[in-house]
Amino acid sequence: MSNFLKEKNIEQWATIPDTQIFSNNRGEPRGIDIRAFKAVENCLKEYWWDGCVILGDFMDFNCISHFNKGSPGLVEGQTLAKDYKIANEILDRLLRAIRKKNPKAKIIYLEGNHEYRVIKYINENPERKGHDEVPINLRLKERDIRWVPCYDKNRYFIKGKLTFIHGIFVTDLHAKAHVMKYGTSIITGHDHDLQIYSYHRAGKNDNIVGVSMMCLCTPQRWEKGPNRWQLGWGVVSFWKNGYFQIHPIPINGYRFVFNNKEYKA
């Protein structure tokens, strides 16, 4: 945190969008764009963070996806154990970066629709209850990470006048759809693009805004041809009265600028 932010009591939070981590049959990371993540990681290490919101779909769970049912060849050699091993390694890197200058930085992990695949898998295989859940295998309590079950319990994270959810809409105007659905300013992941919508209210000085915060993952095999996926992440500054300023940070050519400095990988 800069001296200016400390003097003004302004908190600085990072937002990490979908990484969709899974492992191939050789135990190698897939889903996450490691090069883009590395650039973000390098930036995070240099600043004070009061907190970080992981916007969901941190993991992919390709090996239990219903999209692969009936096609065992697509997931041959892939296992939950391999997925969790890779995800734990990436999560360790993220926590070291976020908490490097502030060991007490708050970490919020929102459940995405991909994490919810585990709940559906356990419902089909109840003997796996207590073994395969995300909070257990990523040791969230041990790491002092707050788990928010957006899909399983319809929960979301609120800080000041801003709400964080993973996201539920995939329409062209999904940022607007989320604002209209929740009636509040909101940041989402889920759609993998940068989209901003502002809802103006007469006589007010706190218009509602919806922001889709891009992604840190690579398009999968079913994404044929052009797609709207945009690499990026974001920062939110919070004042004590709950007002905020959102800073989306697109990554183009594996480089971006933050705080007047270029980061690349």
Side-chain angles (χ1 to χ4, degrees):
M1 180 185 289
S2 68
N3 290 333
F4 172 80
L5 293 179
K6 288 182 179 179
E7 291 170 2
K8 299 296 183 180
N9 288 320
I10 299 173
E11 291 190 13
Q12 184 164 262
W13 284 61
T15 60
I16 302 299
D18 308 34
T19 50
Q20 295 190 343
I21 298 164
F22 68 100
S23 170
N24 65 11
N25 58 4
R26 295 183 297 276
E28 300 165 336
R30 291 293 182 267
I32 184 172
D33 192 310
I34 288 292
R35 190 175 171 188
F37 176 80
K38 179 63 177 176
V40 175
E41 181 184 27
N42 290 340
C43 177
L44 293 173
K45 291 176 181 178
E46 296 188 5
Y47 300 95
W48 172 288
W49 301 100
D50 294 282
C52 172
V53 180
I54 299 170
L55 291 171
D57 284 5
F58 182 73
M59 295 185 65
D60 185 86
F61 296 105
N62 184 64
C63 66
I64 57 173
S65 170
H66 71 275
F67 291 110
N68 295 321
K69 280 190 175 181
S71 301
L74 296 177
V75 295
E76 184 178 3
Q78 297 181 25
T79 66
L80 286 177
K82 290 178 182 177
D83 288 352
Y84 278 124
K85 181 178 183 297
I86 296 294
N88 272 294
E89 292 170 357
I90 300 297
L91 186 57
D92 278 339
R93 289 173 57 176
L94 177 61
L95 296 189
R96 283 195 296 269
I98 289 290
R99 289 174 169 162
K100 181 176 181 179
K101 294 185 179 294
N102 178 17
K104 295 183 179 180
K106 298 176 182 178
I107 310 292
I108 313 297
Y109 187 143
L110 308 183
E111 176 193 47
N113 56 298
H114 283 249
E115 281 88 3
Y116 189 59
R117 288 175 175 175
V118 178
I119 300 298
K120 293 189 287 187
Y121 175 75
I122 290 173
N123 288 337
E124 295 173 354
N125 303 273
E127 71 278 4
R128 298 308 305 167
K129 187 174 183 178
H131 299 280
D132 293 337
E133 292 90 339
V134 173
I136 292 174
N137 285 277
L138 292 185
R139 310 191 310 277
L140 299 188
K141 185 175 181 180
E142 174 187 328
R143 287 174 159 132
D144 194 21
I145 297 175
R146 176 180 167 187
W147 170 252
V148 181
C150 296
Y151 274 74
D152 188 34
K153 304 293 184 183
N154 196 31
R155 306 272 175 80
Y156 35 86
F157 174 63
I158 299 175
K159 181 168 176 58
K161 297 178 180 291
L162 184 61
T163 296
F164 297 82
I165 66 168
H166 175 64
I168 59 175
F169 296 110
V170 291
T171 58
D172 285 343
L173 301 177
H174 54 83
K176 177 181 180 179
H178 283 107
V179 167
M180 295 296 100
K181 174 74 171 181
Y182 291 90
T184 185
S185 291
I186 195 163
I187 286 181
T188 64
H190 191 51
D191 289 277
H192 301 186
D193 64 355
L194 174 58
Q195 192 174 112
I196 301 173
Y197 173 77
S198 181
Y199 180 75
H200 308 288
R201 299 185 291 179
K204 301 273 186 181
N205 193 35
D206 55 349
N207 293 332
I208 296 174
V209 63
V211 178
S212 172
M213 200 59 83
M214 301 166 283
C215 67
L216 288 170
C217 51
T218 57
Q220 300 302 312
R221 66 179 186 279
W222 52 83
E223 289 288 341
K224 305 297 184 183
N227 64 75
R228 67 187 184 191
W229 291 26
Q230 170 66 53
L231 291 172
W233 64 298
V235 174
V236 185
S237 302
F238 288 98
W239 283 266
K240 292 298 182 182
N241 61 6
Y243 286 99
F244 58 86
Q245 184 168 320
I246 303 173
H247 313 269
I249 307 173
I251 300 173
N252 294 302
Y254 289 105
R255 59 185 65 203
F256 62 87
V257 173
F258 177 68
N259 200 29
N260 295 319
K261 180 176 178 179
E262 182 187 53
Y263 296 87
K264 58 185 177 179

